Amino acid sequence: MTVKTMRSLADLKPLARELAAARLAAELERERVAAAVRLAEQERRVFELTVGPVTPLRSMDRFIHDLEQPPPEPRQREADERAVLLQALSDEIDVDTLLDTDETLSFRREGISLEAVRKLRRGHWALQAQLDLHGLRRDAAREALGLFIHDSARRGLRCVRVVHGKGHGSPGREPVLKGRVRRWLVQKNEVLAFVQARASDGGAGALIVLLSGTA
């Protein structure tokens, strides 16, 4: 004989409460998810919702060029060269004993003929580069001159001009750099000779310099 056990209504009440609680939890979870979706959509469209309707730009094909890396700069080597050039040029050398006692106090290194100096004075060699030292202080002018002569000789230039000025803008109207430039030039091995420029090339405010390998 089969006996069927029937639950009373009192037995079903806890089950009903559990089902109701589960339905409520599921409803609350659905509401939470829906709210999160709405918030995400609002954040995604915050610009559009702020300024109004927008029209997306038409997609365009783009080609991205590969940028070539610039060659490395030998900054340390250049700094070392500048330091050597600056230290190598002294203001204390007695240049008067090295200058020819002509009207322009020209200079020629041992082994350079007087004829080479005459050619330099007459403009036999075309000017290929110029350095203007106007407005530079002593150390800056010395460094600029050293680098200019070094670079010009390395490039194989034959004849260059160095403008040191006539001193009209200096205190006492004395050419501050004129004597110093002569001292610095005689210390450069690349310099074979120099003369005062002709009037058309700067006169007393400039020197025409003959570089090594040209005489």
Side-chain angles (χ1 to χ4, degrees), residues 64-138:
I64 306 300
H65 294 274
D66 293 331
L67 299 179
E68 295 184 2
Q69 295 295 325
E73 298 181 3
R75 294 182 178 177
Q76 185 57 51
R77 188 189 69 189
E78 293 173 354
D80 293 341
E81 287 182 355
R82 284 195 297 271
V84 170
L85 290 171
L86 185 59
Q87 295 170 3
L89 300 180
S90 171
D91 287 338
E92 304 304 324
I93 187 172
D94 184 7
V95 70
D96 293 339
T97 61
L98 303 174
L99 300 178
D100 287 339
T101 56
D102 56 18
E103 69 279 5
T104 63
L105 293 178
S106 60
F107 166 78
R108 60 188 175 97
R109 199 169 296 281
E110 184 177 357
I112 303 301
S113 66
L114 284 171
E115 180 59 25
V117 176
R118 295 190 187 99
K119 287 182 178 180
L120 189 61
R121 184 174 288 115
R122 292 196 301 266
H124 175 79
W125 290 281
L127 290 173
Q128 296 172 291
Q130 171 179 298
L131 173 66
D132 191 343
L133 299 175
H134 276 112
L136 296 183
R137 294 184 177 275
R138 181 186 61 184

Side-chain angles (χ1 to χ4, degrees), residues 189-210:
N189 292 330
E190 301 94 334
V191 174
L192 297 181
F194 62 74
V195 299
Q196 180 176 295
R198 296 176 296 178
S200 58
D201 291 326
L207 295 173
I208 308 300
V209 183
L210 184 66

Side-chain angles (χ1 to χ4, degrees), residues 42-54:
Q42 288 178 351
E43 290 179 349
R44 187 182 66 83
R45 300 177 57 214
V46 64
F47 179 79
E48 178 183 350
L49 294 173
T50 301
V51 302
V54 296

